[in-house]
Structure formats: C-alpha cells, structure tokens
C-alpha cells in the first residue's frame, strides 16, 4: 500500500507531463489548407505562408527532434557566432560562477562586519535598501560605459545582483546569533577571531547559505538577460540569436536547458545548505 | 577563617528606561562565598538574580560596587568562573564531545587533540553521558542537555561554578535526578558553587548558605540562612531531618510574606552585614509547624511561583 | 560639434566656397577633382593633423585661443618641431606593416552588413593579411558602446550613427569616421497582412511603426515617406525603436502595424506569412545609403595601415557584391547560423531581387539592394538636415564640415580605385528623394521647404 503511495506523486508528474504534451500537440496540429499560391511563389516562402497562414508554433515532435539534435552535438563550434548549446551553457555557467564567487567573497566578510556592529548595520542599511531592488539590466548600460568591457560588464551585473541577498542574509544571520552562544564563548575567554569562526560562522551558516541559494538563482536569472543584451557567447546570446532566426524550437530547447541548469544550481546549493544546517 | 573566594561589596544595578526614568534593580549588596562552599540565592523574579550571576561571571557590569574573586576585582569573563546557563546554551552544530571539546581547547589551547578528547571523555563519564558522545544536542533530552552543560562547565576545572536556575526548565523527575548528580559531583570535586534558584527544596538540598533577596526594585539581601543540615544529604531522606521543615518554613515564610514587607529600615539592619540566621537550630520556632502539618507530601518539591 | 572644426581653422565659417563645401573656392574644388590623389593626401594630412592637434589640445576653446594667438601656420611649425608630423602623415599615406592583424569587427545580423560579413567566409579579409573575427551583436547601442570601449576595432553601423556619435547626439561625443557605405537601397516598408487593403499611406493614421534605431536611415526615410503623404510622424502615428530581430515577432503579435526595416527582416515577415512588402526604399530614394562601415578616429590615426587593409577588404567585398551574378553565392555564404542565421532562400530573395511580396506576387527588382561604398558628403548633409528636421539636432550645424570630417570620401575613392572600382569624381552630388531635389549646398533652404517637421 505504502509502495503504491510512493508511486503516486511520480505517476501524477508523468500524467501532467503527457497531458501537457498532448495539449501542445493538439493545439499545434497543422491545419490542412490548400496552397493558395503558385508553386514558384510557394518555393520562396515558408510552408505556412504558402497556404495563406502565419508560420505555426512548432509541434512537440519538432521540438523533440531539435532537442535530440542538440543532444547529439552539444559542443560544436562553427565560428564565433555559432557554437553548440553545451558550449553556450558553459560560458554562462562560467560567468555566473565568477560573478557569484566574487560577490560571495565581498558579501560574506562585509555582511559579517555589518552584522557584528549595529552602528554599521544602521549606517549602511539605507544604501543596501536602495541598491538592492535595482534591476540587473539597469546596471548594464552603466557597466558598459564605465568598465568598457562587455565580458567584465556581464560579470559585474551578476556580481551586483547576487551580492545583496548574501550581504543581507549574512548580516542578519550574524546579528541574530543567539546571545547565549556568544556568552559561552565569552566566559571561556575565546578570542574574537576564534569566536567569529567557531561560533558566529557556524551559527549564522544556515542563514548565510540561504542567502547564497537565493543569490545563485538570481544570478542565473540575470545571466540570460545580460547575455541577450551584450551578445557574443552564452545561453542568453543563443536565445537572442535564435529569436533573430525566429526559431521557436531552438528557443524552447534553450528554455528547457536554462531551467535544468537553474534547477541543478539550486539543488547544489540546497545540498550545501543541508550540510551546514543544524537542528535545535 | 580563610579569605573568601568571592567577595561582593556594595554592588547595585540601575537601568535607564526608554522614558529616561532610572530604575534601581538592587542596591548595596554585600556577601561572600568561601572556597568549597555551595551558596544559593533565592528571590522573586525581578530582584535581579540573573544580573547578579552575570556580574559574577563578568558578562555584565554593576552600576556601583565591587566584585572580588580570589582577592582580585572582576574585570570581565574568566575561565576561573564557569557558567551553567538556564537554557543549557549548547551549540547545536557541535556534538556532545564537540561542545565540551570547544571549552577544553579554549582553556588549554596547547593540548593535543587526543588529550582534549580524553579529558572530555572523563567529564562525559562524570555526568553519566557515556555513549552519547557523538550525539548532537537536538537528539538529547532536556536533562541530558543540561548534563552536557554541567560537563562543559566542570571540564575547564573552574575555581567557581555559577549556575543560573539550571534545572528550572526540566520536569520534576529529571530535576531530582540531576540535583543528586550535582550533589554527588560537588562532594567529589569540592567545587565552589554559586547558584540561583527559586526552588526552596533545591536550595535546602544543595546549599550550605542561602541568600534571601527582597523583591525588586531596590532589592536587598534580607538575611543569609545557614543550612544546618548535615552535608551528606539525599533527596529521599531530606525531609526526615528535624531541621528540614524549620528551614523550609522559614524560607517559605520569607518568600510569601517578608520578601515584600522587608524595608531594611530597622535599626539593627546593616546591609554590609546581613543577618546570618540558623532556623534549623531554632526548635521553638518550627517544631509546632512541623507537627501541625503531618500530611506534608513525601517528596516536597514545592517551588515558589516565579 | 565643436570637435569637428578644421584643426587649423580658428574661426567658424558657415558659408563655404564650393559645392562640396570642402574647398575654399570652386576653383580649388575643381583642381582637387582633377588630381584626386592630391585631395586624398590633403585629407590624409588633415586627419593626422587633426589627431595631433586634438591630442595636444583636448579642449576646443584652448585650441582656438592658441590658434588665434599664434596663427595656424606658426602653430603647425611649432608643433612639428617636437612632433614628427611628417612621419605620421607618411605612415598614413603609405602601405606599411600592419600594426595589428587580429581584429574584431561587430555586426548586426542584417543583409546591410553583407560586405563586412562575407569578407570573413569568402576570404576578403585574409587576402589583406587580416585575421578578422566578425562578432554578431544584439543592437546598435551595444555596437556603439563596444566600439567606444575598443572591444571592436571597427563595426557595422547605421550611416547616421557616426554623425550622431561625433556630434554627441545620444552618446558622448567621440570623433568618429565613416570611410565606407556598405549598401544602398535594400530596405522596405512592411505592413501586417491584415492591412493588405490599406495600401494608401493616407489611411495609416494611428498606425504603430517600428524602426531599428532612432539614428537610422530607416527612421528618416519612414518619416519622410509619411510626411510626403501628409501624415505627421510625430502626431498621427507612433514610431518606436525596435531591434530588427524583434520586429517580425512584434508584427506577428499585432504589437505593431508595420515597420521600415532592413532586410532580411522584411523578407522574413513574408516568409513567415506575417506581413507584406509595401514599398521598397529604392522607390523612396533610389541609391540612398543605409548601413556603413565605421571606425573610431583613434583607430584610423593610430593604425593607419591596418585601417587601410581593412577598408580595402571591405571595398573589394563591396565590389564583388555589387555584381548580380555573385549574389547567390554570397547568400549561401552569409545565411548560416554563424552570420545572419536565416533560411538561405530569404537571403537570396533579398540579394537577387526576385522575391515574394507577401501578397502572392513574385516581384523582380534587381536593384532592390545594391552595394556602393562611396560615402558621399551630400548623404551626410541630407542626414543632418533630417536630424534637424525631426529635432534630434538643435542649433546651427556646419553641415559641410561635419560631413567632410566623418564621411571619409577621399579615402574611399582612393581605395576604390585600387580595387578596380570607379569612384565618382565629386564628393557631393544632388539627388532626388520622392521627386524632390536635394541640393547639398543649400541645406537650410531644403530644411525650410518642408511643411511637416518637429519644431
């Protein structure tokens, strides 16, 4: 019985999946319409236009074929503007990780200082509150103008967007370390360095990691948009390039892979969070 | 008489509220604790008991007055004075062993890992937690957590143990067991202890001296009760001793009536030398009451409402 | 604007002696035309001098004060004593060692960029000893920023952009040059299929149109076209700036009613059954410039040999592209994902001029798009009049000077000769736009003649 229960959720998932595909298939079934133009004209336009219609949304089969094609050849390189989806994802992940790690390097120590001192917390809070909600793409023109390098700008945008959740969570985590743990450290005459690393850091770690998990999701959201803007390489550029080509199948493939990578990044962070989380 | 381990001279504590009004929690307290002595402090909530303990541990400062430990003024927390916190204050990310080792390696940073482990094991065994070394606090019962707290405090071999209502969060059975453990450990280690409690029976069971505080604000030490019961006590036989009800009645009488009424303005009262009383020896006072209450429960575990 | 004064001309003179506005008199103009090399050398010299002067006196006011105080020739002599001006000039004039062989050139994936793109797969860059990476870019603002940031050595731009950048309109002023036009004609007005019965522009009130960029021929041509049909582009319709890749998607989604766009966007709208081609821009102004090859003045002056080699590749490619018989081959070369990322047939229809119009007809317009690199100064002047007409540019403009400084007609002519093309003998010419003649010598009068304009 319980084994059956265990299967219920996956079965339901599969059902939803096939239902979705079915609806998609039904909605995109080609409507058989007679060709409204002569053959010479028909050769010049797409299949839909030849029957007096707008080009159609791809069917699940079209999409499946495209995904298979990409899976077979994820790492091809046919010049600077045409690389496989695997390479593009690699560029994006690389950018995200560089920007994200830089942000962590800045946010965690800074958040620590802010969290330790209520005065600094109050002094910097207005700046953080103003800077935090700024859309990543709003930074892009500024970054391009001042940094004068699009690769650096993209990384900067990742940095600036992923820095806030980490900074705020670190500060909050550090500030809300239980007084009694600090008192234990004080009565044991533990130095401030050892207190920071042995008491405050592990105590705040779950909160910090939550901030880092939020950050990586944001960073991944931002990179696609940023790359659509700067172009060159990356999955965002891939989407833009295929938009240019109005290739919905390719865009869907990209969307799928963006989702999968995003999920993987999040799962990774969830695992790490679990490592530092403690029950009370 | 030898120099007391702790000497408190005229300490007082004032808080400034939000509206700027100054509240004096307690004022002009004087008392001392001798080496090897077990002193309990009893008083109602709000008389500043925890503040006094924090002052002794060095975590808090007084508004005026001095605290001397071993003849030197307290300037901050010290490894000489270990604290057992009411809420056990274990670090949940560390195991039982880890929590104790944190204290031990803070006390003796030069010790090898193995030496620290051995030392910790000694104290884990002392509090009867053998086998639970690798457990985390979340996997322990309340009583076991407090045992870890006790082991951690003792493991650094402090000159003095400061306990802040250590058993108040535990159920009655566990509390009883732990009280006897503390009794045993103190007998074994001759540890000097200063403990805050509002449990009269706990004080009679454990203490050599019981400091009675009046209600705050402006709390004072009304008197110091000397526990005249013999040192070899057990929870089970405690109430059979003739001194027991006399001391107990005296304490309850104080907590119920006199702690409120005490003004400290009688001409005999000198805050620098609060009266030292021995109600256990005062036969006329309590025997009648003793007889008048034959149906006293076998396990008197009356606690004053906090 | 001020950055464009003749470096050794202390005063600002608005009236010029000759028809192209470049010479002090018509006689000098004729003399220059007789010996094109002289003119080209003169201009080359001026470019170098301008760069040196600008480096020494970054502030215009300072430079003018200095020149007023000592006189231009004294200034020249004085500067020559410590700066080897002669050497710098020579370096530009001669074909020497390439300063840099690996270059990055940015492009927007449209057929206007054909010469820039095709030079890579078809080896025109390699022939000049250059290893050029052509980088697809998301939009003109990014092309501009990346060129300003020196990520790109040169780039595909819209022909009004170098003018706008130099004048500091819509960007920080930066001396820019446009040594070659890439294509002429090649754009079209495309309307949504649902408007197939509204062929008369007078019925377009309330339409929403898209153009690729504010500073584009597309914007100016659409506005011109609408205004000629009595539609005020600022009041009667909405014109938005939409990147070309998004145009078909927007047309499909009914967000816009039509656009004046570069190809392959128009043909792609037909291919997808979304729109029909209403008017080819060659029928608005036959021979109008559209996109351009542009580089910063700094690149031109610091790497003259590389610049020359690069320009020569573009010229050769343009010459190759201008021949009808080569067009199919080019279409195949530039259609793949690395370049335009379009079906080959779409690109082929654009380049060959035999195309489906979206209404079931096959039209044959061999000069739908053509390639002619010569950056006529009069093109720049016309663009400037339109910038003023639609309020992008305020105040007085020295049309001729800006045109001459930015549109490097003489460089182009010299290189065109080298690759076997026949450059025109003049740098300025009259032309007609929708039946109305434009005289580059009288821009202000031209501007005044329009009834519909922003004020």
């Amino acid at each position: 019985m319980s084994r059956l229960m265990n299967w219920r959720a996956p079965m339901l998932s599969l059902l939803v999946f096939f239902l979705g595909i079915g609806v998609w298939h039904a909605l995109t079934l080609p409507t058989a319409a007679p060709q409204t133009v002569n053959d010479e004209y028909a050769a010049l336009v797409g299949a839909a236009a030849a029957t007096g219609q707008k080009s159609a949304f791809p069917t699940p089969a079209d999409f499946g074929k495209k995904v298979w094609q990409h899976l077979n050849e994820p790492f091809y390189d046919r010049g600077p503007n045409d690389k496989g989806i695997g390479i593009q994802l690699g560029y994006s992940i690389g950018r995200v990780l560089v920007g994200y790690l830089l942000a962590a390097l800045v946010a965690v120590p800074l958040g620590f200082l802010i969290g330790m001192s209520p005065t600094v917390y109050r002094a910097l809070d207005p700046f953080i509150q103003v800077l935090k909600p700024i859309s990543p793409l709003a930074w892009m023109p500024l970054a391009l103008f001042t940094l004068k390098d699009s690769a650096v700008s993209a990384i900067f945008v990742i940095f600036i967007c992923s820095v806030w959740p980490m900074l705020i969570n670190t500060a909050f985590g550090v500030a809300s370390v239980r007084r009694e743990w600090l008192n234990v450290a004080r009565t044991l005459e533990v130095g401030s360095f050892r207190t920071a690393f042995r008491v405050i850091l592990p105590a705040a770690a779950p909160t910090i990691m939550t901030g880092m998990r939020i950050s990586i999701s944001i960073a991944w959201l931002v990179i696609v948009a940023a790359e659509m803007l700067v172009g060159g390489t990356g999955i965002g550029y891939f989407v833009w390039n295929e938009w240019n080509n109005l290739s919905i199948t390719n865009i869907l493939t990209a969307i799928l892979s963006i989702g999968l990578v995003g999920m993987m990044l999040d799962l990774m962070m969830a695992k790490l969070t679990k490592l530092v989380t403690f029950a009370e | 008489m030898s120099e007391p381990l702790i000497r408190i001279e005229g300490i007082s504590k004032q808080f400034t509220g939000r509206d700027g009004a100054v509240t004096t929690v307690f004022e002009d307290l004087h008392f001392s604790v001798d080496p090897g002595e077990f002193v309990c402090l009893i008083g109602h909530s709000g008389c500043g008991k925890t503040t006094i303990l924090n002052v002794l541990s060095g975590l808090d400062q007084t508004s005026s007055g001095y605290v001397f430990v071993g003849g030197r003024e307290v300037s901050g927390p010290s490894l000489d004075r270990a604290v057992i916190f009411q809420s056990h204050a274990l670090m949940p990310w560390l195991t039982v062993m880890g929590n104790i080792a944190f204290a031990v390696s803070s006390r003796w940073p030069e010790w090898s890992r193995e030496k620290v482990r051995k030392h910790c094991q000694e104290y884990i065994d002392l509090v009867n937690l053998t086998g639970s070394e690798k457990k985390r606090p979340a996997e322990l019962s309340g009583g076991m957590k407090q045992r870890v707290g006790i082991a951690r405090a003792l493991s650094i071999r402090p000159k003095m143990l400061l306990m802040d209502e250590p058993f108040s969060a535990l159920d009655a059975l566990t509390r009883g067991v732990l009280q006897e453990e503390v009794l045993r450990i103190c007998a074994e280690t001759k540890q000097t202890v200063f403990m805050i409690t509002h449990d009269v029976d706990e004080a009679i069971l454990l203490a050599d001296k019981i400091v009675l505080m009046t209600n705050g604000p402006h709390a004072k030490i009304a008197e110091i009760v000397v526990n005249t019961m013999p040192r070899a006590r057990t929870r089970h036989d405690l109430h059979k001793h003739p001194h027991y009800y006399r001391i107990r009645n005296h304490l309850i009488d104080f907590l119920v009536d006199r702690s409120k009424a005490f003004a400290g303005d009688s001409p005999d009262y000198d805050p620098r030398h609060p009266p030292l009383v021995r109600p256990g020896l005062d036969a006329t006072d309590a025997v009648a009451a003793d007889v008048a209450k034959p149906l006293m429960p076998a396990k008197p575990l009356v606690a004053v409402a906090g | 604007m001020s950055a464009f004064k003749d470096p050794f001309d202390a005063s600002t003179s608005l009236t010029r002696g000759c028809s192209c506005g470049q010479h002090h008199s018509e006689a000098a103009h004729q003399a220059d035309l007789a010996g094109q090399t002289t003119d080209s050398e003169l201009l080359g010299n001026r470019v170098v001098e301008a760069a040196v002067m600008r480096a020494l006196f970054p502030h215009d006011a300072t430079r003018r004060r200095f020149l007023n105080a000592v006189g231009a020739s004294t200034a020249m002599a004085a500067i020559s004593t410590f700066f080897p001006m002669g050497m710098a000039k020579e370096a530009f004039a001669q074909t020497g060692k390439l300063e840099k062989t690996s270059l990055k050139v940015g492009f927007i994936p449209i057929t206007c960029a054909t010469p820039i793109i095709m030079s890579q797969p078809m080896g025109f860059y390699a022939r000049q000893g250059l290893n050029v990476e052509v980088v697809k870019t998301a939009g003109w603002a990014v092309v501009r920023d990346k060129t300003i940031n020196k990520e790109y050595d040169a780039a595909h731009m819209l022909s009004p952009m170098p003018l706008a950048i130099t004048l500091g309109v819509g960007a920080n002023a930066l001396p820019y040059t446009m040594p070659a036009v890439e294509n002429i004609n090649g754009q079209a007005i495309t309307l949504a299929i649902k408007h197939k019965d509204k062929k008369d522009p007078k019925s377009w009130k309330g339409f929403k149109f898209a153009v690729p960029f504010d500073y584009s021929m597309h914007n100016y041509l659409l506005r011109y076209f609408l205004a000629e049909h009595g539609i005020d582009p600022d009041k009667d319709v909405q014109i938005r700036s939409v990147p070309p890749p998004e145009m078909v998607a927007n047309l499909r989604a009914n967000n816009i009613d039509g656009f004046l766009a570069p190809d392959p966007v128009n043909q792609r709208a037909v291919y997808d059954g979304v729109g029909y081609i209403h008017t080819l821009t060659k029928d608005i102004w036959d021979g109008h410039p559209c996109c351009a090859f542009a580089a910063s003045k700094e690149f031109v002056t610091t790497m003259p040999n590389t610049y020359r080699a690069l320009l020569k590749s573009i010229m050769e490619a343009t010459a190759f592209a201008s021949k009808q018989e080569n067009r199919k081959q080019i279409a195949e070369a530039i259609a793949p994902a690395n370049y335009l990322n379009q079906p080959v047939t779409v690109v082929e229809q654009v380049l060959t001029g035999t195309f489906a119009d979206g209404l079931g007809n096959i039209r044959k317009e061999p000069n739908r798009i053509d390639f002619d690199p010569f950056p006529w100064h009069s093109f720049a002047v016309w663009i400037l009049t339109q910038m003023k007409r639609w309020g992008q540019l305020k105040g007085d403009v020295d049309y001729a000077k800006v045109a001459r400084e930015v549109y490097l007609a003489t460089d182009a002519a010299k290189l065109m000769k080298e690759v076997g093309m026949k450059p025109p003998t003049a740098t300025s010419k009259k032309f007609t736009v929708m039946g109305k003649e434009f005289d580059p010598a009288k821009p202000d009068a031209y501007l005044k003649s329009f009834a519909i304009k922003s004020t």
Side-chain angles (χ1 to χ4, degrees):
Chain A
M1 185 62 204
S2 77
R3 259 176 74 183
L4 201 72
M5 295 284 276
N6 285 344
W7 280 102
R8 270 192 196 172
M11 290 296 276
L12 198 62
S13 294
L14 273 180
L15 191 72
V16 169
F17 177 75
F18 283 113
L19 208 67
I21 296 282
V23 170
W24 177 4
H25 182 75
L27 287 178
T28 52
L29 269 181
T31 41
Q35 191 173 312
T36 53
V37 293
N38 61 39
D39 288 348
E40 195 190 348
Y41 185 89
L44 296 179
V45 295
T51 59
Q53 293 169 330
K54 292 182 181 183
S55 54
F57 197 83
T59 63
D62 295 338
F63 174 56
K65 250 183 262 165
K66 188 57 91 179
V67 170
W68 183 245
Q69 194 184 319
H70 280 293
L71 281 178
N72 272 331
E73 204 186 4
F75 299 112
Y76 71 84
D77 186 350
R78 287 193 274 274
N81 307 311
D82 185 17
K83 295 183 203 296
I85 201 164
I87 294 183
Q88 305 288 24
L89 281 171
Y91 274 114
S92 297
I93 293 171
R95 279 195 191 113
V96 162
L97 288 185
V98 171
Y100 176 78
L101 290 177
L102 283 176
L105 279 180
V106 171
V108 174
L110 193 64
F112 226 92
L113 291 180
I114 293 173
M116 299 271 269
S117 158
T119 315
V120 178
Y121 196 116
R122 278 201 299 277
L124 293 184
D125 193 53
F127 298 104
I128 296 174
Q129 295 308 330
V130 169
L131 291 173
K132 186 181 61 163
I134 296 175
S135 158
L137 297 187
W139 289 104
M140 191 47 107
L142 192 71
L144 274 176
F145 190 84
T146 48
L147 299 172
K148 302 199 182 300
D149 185 292
S150 58
V152 176
S153 297
I155 289 169
F156 168 78
V157 169
I158 297 299
F159 169 87
I160 202 81
C161 295
S162 47
V163 85
W164 308 116
M166 286 196 264
L167 186 70
I168 292 166
N169 268 45
T170 307
F172 177 76
V174 167
S176 48
V177 168
R178 294 249 289 271
R179 190 90 232 140
E180 55 188 48
W181 295 331
L182 296 175
N183 280 344
V184 168
R186 282 178 68 197
T187 57
L188 292 171
E189 292 186 56
V190 177
S192 44
F193 205 68
R194 193 168 136 93
T195 305
F197 278 91
R198 294 292 305 276
V199 181
I200 298 174
L201 191 63
T207 323
I208 297 174
M209 282 305 297
T210 307
M212 293 181 84
R213 193 172 161 189
I214 297 171
S215 279
I216 198 115
S217 299
I218 292 181
W220 187 244
L221 284 182
V222 167
I223 191 69
V224 175
E227 284 168 347
M228 281 183 90
L229 214 66
V230 250
T233 49
I235 191 71
Y237 165 78
F238 181 87
V239 171
W240 175 82
N241 194 22
E242 294 308 330
W243 187 13
N244 187 40
N245 184 24
L246 297 172
S247 168
I248 304 297
T249 47
N250 272 326
I251 291 172
L252 286 173
T253 313
I255 287 173
L256 182 70
S257 56
I258 289 167
L260 287 176
V261 171
M263 187 178 82
M264 262 155 50
L265 289 173
D266 190 62
L267 277 180
M268 230 167 63
M269 293 310 288
K271 277 253 152 70
L272 287 176
T273 309
K274 218 172 165 189
L275 277 183
V276 299
T277 303
F278 47 80
E280 286 201 45
Chain B
M1 200 168 173
S2 61
E3 166 72 11
L5 184 60
I6 291 186
R7 207 169 74 232
I8 286 170
E9 286 186 1
I11 59 168
S12 62
K13 182 77 184 177
Q14 283 158 346
F15 289 110
T16 308
R18 268 170 199 265
D19 51 357
V22 176
T23 315
T24 302
V25 187
F26 54 78
E27 59 188 2
D28 208 12
L29 304 186
H30 296 258
F31 70 92
S32 57
V33 179
D34 289 330
E37 204 173 26
F38 198 123
V39 175
C40 274
L41 181 82
I42 288 194
H44 284 285
S45 290
C47 71
K49 297 188 299 274
T50 300
T51 311
I52 294 172
L53 187 118
N54 283 346
V55 165
L56 289 182
S57 68
L59 292 171
D60 204 347
Q61 272 122 38
T62 54
S63 306
S64 63
Y66 308 94
V67 176
F68 297 94
V69 172
R72 281 159 67 184
E73 198 183 344
V74 167
S75 57
S78 157
L79 283 156
D80 288 345
R81 283 157 280 140
V83 183
I84 296 174
F85 295 88
Q86 184 176 1
S87 56
H88 63 77
L90 298 181
M91 304 192 189
W93 58 90
L94 294 176
T95 58
V96 168
M97 178 64 85
N99 267 288
I100 300 171
F102 178 69
V104 172
S105 55
S106 301
R107 176 76 173 88
W108 296 284
E110 71 283 359
W111 278 16
S112 72
R113 196 175 280 248
E114 182 53 27
K115 192 167 180 189
V116 168
R117 198 197 60 76
K118 266 187 155 163
H119 184 84
C120 293
Q121 190 63 51
E122 197 180 304
Y123 285 86
I124 290 170
D125 296 345
L126 181 71
V127 297
N128 288 329
L129 277 179
T130 318
S132 300
E133 294 84 353
K134 295 221 165 61
K135 287 191 177 145
R136 282 174 205 277
E139 302 167 71
L140 302 177
S141 68
M144 288 165 93
K145 282 182 203 163
Q146 202 50 280
R147 281 167 198 263
V148 181
I150 294 167
R152 177 173 66 185
L154 291 172
S155 70
I156 59 170
R157 297 214 178 113
K159 284 188 184 148
M160 162 120 228
L161 204 56
L162 303 169
M163 301 166 98
D164 185 4
E165 303 191 30
F167 312 127
S168 60
L170 305 177
D171 64 275
L173 283 173
T174 316
R175 186 174 355 167
V177 173
L178 274 181
Q179 283 165 349
E180 289 203 327
E181 294 270 339
V182 168
L183 207 59
R184 171 180 66 81
I185 291 166
C186 288
E188 281 173 24
T189 58
K190 308 228 166 10
Q191 186 70 54
T192 310
V193 183
F194 177 80
M195 178 164 130
I196 287 171
T197 181
H198 48 220
D199 180 339
V200 169
D201 288 304
E202 184 171 276
I204 300 172
L205 179 67
L206 298 172
D208 299 318
K209 272 195 259 172
I210 303 163
V211 178
L212 300 183
M213 281 191 77
T214 64
N215 291 2
H218 299 279
K220 297 174 186 65
I221 294 176
E223 56 186 42
I224 296 172
V225 174
V226 178
N227 190 349
T228 47
M229 307 240 305
R231 208 44 190 306
R233 303 162 204 156
T234 63
R235 207 156 43 90
H236 190 255
D237 297 332
L238 192 66
H239 62 285
K240 292 178 183 160
H241 194 273
H243 291 182
Y244 172 73
Y245 282 112
R246 292 177 200 153
I247 300 172
R248 188 169 186 278
N249 289 347
H250 183 85
L251 294 180
I252 288 180
D253 180 45
F254 172 80
L255 287 170
V256 173
D257 292 329
R258 287 195 294 136
S259 64
K260 266 182 288 209
F262 186 86
D265 49 5
S266 94
D268 305 339
Y269 181 73
D270 177 3
R272 275 177 287 176
H273 300 285
L276 209 62
V277 298
R278 292 177 173 78
L281 300 178
D282 188 352
T284 55
D285 172 16
V287 170
D290 207 358
V291 175
K293 291 175 189 169
L295 295 173
M296 213 61 183
K299 281 187 182 175
L301 289 164
V302 177
V304 179
Chain C
M1 173 68 220
S2 55
F4 274 87
K5 302 289 188 290
D6 179 329
F8 294 103
D9 189 354
S11 65
T12 304
S13 134
L14 281 170
T15 49
R16 289 319 222 138
C18 77
S19 55
C20 74
Q22 197 189 323
H23 305 91
H24 296 285
S25 66
E26 193 60 40
H29 179 93
Q30 292 302 334
D32 264 5
L33 290 184
Q36 193 70 46
T37 34
T38 327
D39 182 73
S40 115
E41 268 166 22
L42 259 178
L43 200 90
N45 291 355
R46 188 168 280 140
V47 169
V48 177
E49 288 165 5
V52 171
M53 281 306 285
R54 221 168 258 116
L56 291 172
F57 300 103
H59 295 287
D60 212 45
T62 326
R63 180 169 70 240
R64 263 204 302 278
R65 267 205 303 280
F66 173 72
L67 292 169
N68 274 329
V70 301
S73 51
T74 320
M76 193 65 227
I79 290 163
S80 301
T81 56
F82 60 86
F83 188 88
M85 195 86 78
M87 265 172 66
K89 284 179 192 166
E90 255 169 55
F92 180 67
Q94 283 172 4
T95 315
K97 198 173 164 292
L98 295 175
E99 297 85 351
K100 190 178 174 188
T101 54
S102 282
L103 301 177
K104 268 193 181 175
V105 176
F107 74 94
I108 305 284
I110 53 179
T111 40
C112 303
T114 298
I116 289 182
I117 302 169
M118 64 184 264
S119 295
Q120 216 273 332
M122 299 180 91
F124 288 97
Y125 292 130
R127 207 182 297 174
Q128 300 299 327
L130 294 171
N131 174 23
V132 175
E133 193 178 305
V134 288
V135 186
K136 205 187 294 191
T137 313
W140 275 289
V142 183
V143 163
R144 178 195 62 203
D145 287 355
K146 284 192 172 185
T147 319
I148 290 174
N149 295 348
K150 293 176 199 152
E151 271 181 64
Y152 295 158
D153 298 287
H156 161 210
M157 285 195 181
L158 293 157
S159 49
M161 282 174 67
L163 295 168
I165 296 174
T166 17
L167 293 172
V169 183
N172 281 6
L174 184 85
Y176 238 77
T177 64
M178 195 189 95
V181 167
E182 284 181 67
N183 66 313
I184 55 174
N185 303 338
Q187 326 302 310
I189 297 176
T190 297
L191 291 187
I193 285 282
K194 65 174 178 184
H195 295 310
K196 65 180 168 198
D197 298 322
K198 289 193 178 176
K199 293 208 181 74
D200 183 1
K202 289 189 175 61
S203 61
W204 291 357
K205 277 198 179 178
F207 271 29
K208 285 182 205 139
F209 283 104
V211 293
F213 200 60
D214 285 343
Y215 306 99
S216 67
M217 283 305 292
H218 310 86
N219 190 18
Y220 305 138
L221 286 173
L222 179 63
R223 283 167 173 271
Y224 194 104
F225 181 82
L226 291 170
E228 288 299 297
H229 286 94
I231 305 271
D232 186 327
D234 286 319
K235 296 190 183 105
D236 299 334
V237 295
Q238 240 189 63
I239 298 180
R240 333 176 170 157
S241 184
V242 175
E246 299 170 34
M247 283 179 169
V248 180
N250 272 304
L251 193 66
R252 200 194 151 92
N254 285 327
N255 283 341
I256 49 176
D257 297 287
F259 46 71
L260 198 156
D263 268 310
V265 174
N266 302 294
Q267 202 58 49
R268 188 61 205 255
V270 170
Y271 183 84
D272 278 53
V274 172
Y276 72 98
I277 294 172
H278 180 277
T279 302
L280 294 178
T281 52
K282 79 172 184 61
D283 299 326
I284 299 175
W285 166 7
D286 193 10
H288 73 82
C290 173
C291 288
F293 172 75
S296 74
K297 205 147 198 177
E298 192 189 329
F299 176 70
V300 174
T301 46
T302 57
M303 294 185 201
N305 296 333
T306 311
Y307 158 68
R308 252 181 117 266
L310 189 59
L311 192 52
K312 204 167 172 189
S313 324
I314 300 287
M315 293 293 183
E316 280 182 356
T318 311
F320 185 81
S322 65
K323 295 194 180 79
Q324 268 292 337
E325 65 269 23
N326 298 331
R327 299 273 175 90
K328 272 198 173 184
Q329 188 191 345
I330 295 170
E332 269 166 43
I334 65 174
N338 198 21
Y339 306 107
L340 294 185
N341 200 12
Q342 291 290 341
V344 177
T345 172
V346 168
V347 181
E348 204 177 286
Q349 288 177 65
V350 171
L351 292 182
T352 59
T354 301
F355 61 94
D357 69 349
L359 295 172
N361 313 310
I362 295 175
R363 288 173 64 181
K364 288 195 167 63
E365 307 274 2
N367 58 343
R368 173 176 178 177
I369 187 167
D370 206 349
F371 300 91
D372 181 352
F374 195 69
W376 290 93
H377 288 163
S378 41
F379 287 172
V381 176
W382 186 85
I383 290 167
L384 290 169
T385 64
Q386 299 304 306
M387 282 182 168
K388 280 198 80 171
R389 180 178 179 187
W390 305 116
Q392 288 179 339
L393 198 55
K394 305 259 187 319
D396 287 336
V397 182
D398 186 344
Y399 296 98
K401 254 192 184 177
V402 175
R404 191 179 63 217
E405 292 271 358
V406 180
Y407 281 32
L408 303 182
T410 34
D411 280 9
K414 195 169 166 190
L415 287 163
M416 279 169 82
K417 264 194 210 158
E418 283 185 26
V419 300
M421 290 174 102
K422 286 200 183 72
T425 48
T427 58
S428 214
K429 64 173 179 186
K430 291 181 182 175
F431 48 79
T432 54
V433 183
M434 291 181 81
K436 188 178 166 110
E437 189 180 70
F438 169 66
D439 181 354
K442 295 173 189 138
D444 282 321
Y446 181 69
L447 193 50
K448 277 196 194 87
S449 71
F450 294 111
I452 297 179
K453 58 189 160 195
S454 313
T455 40

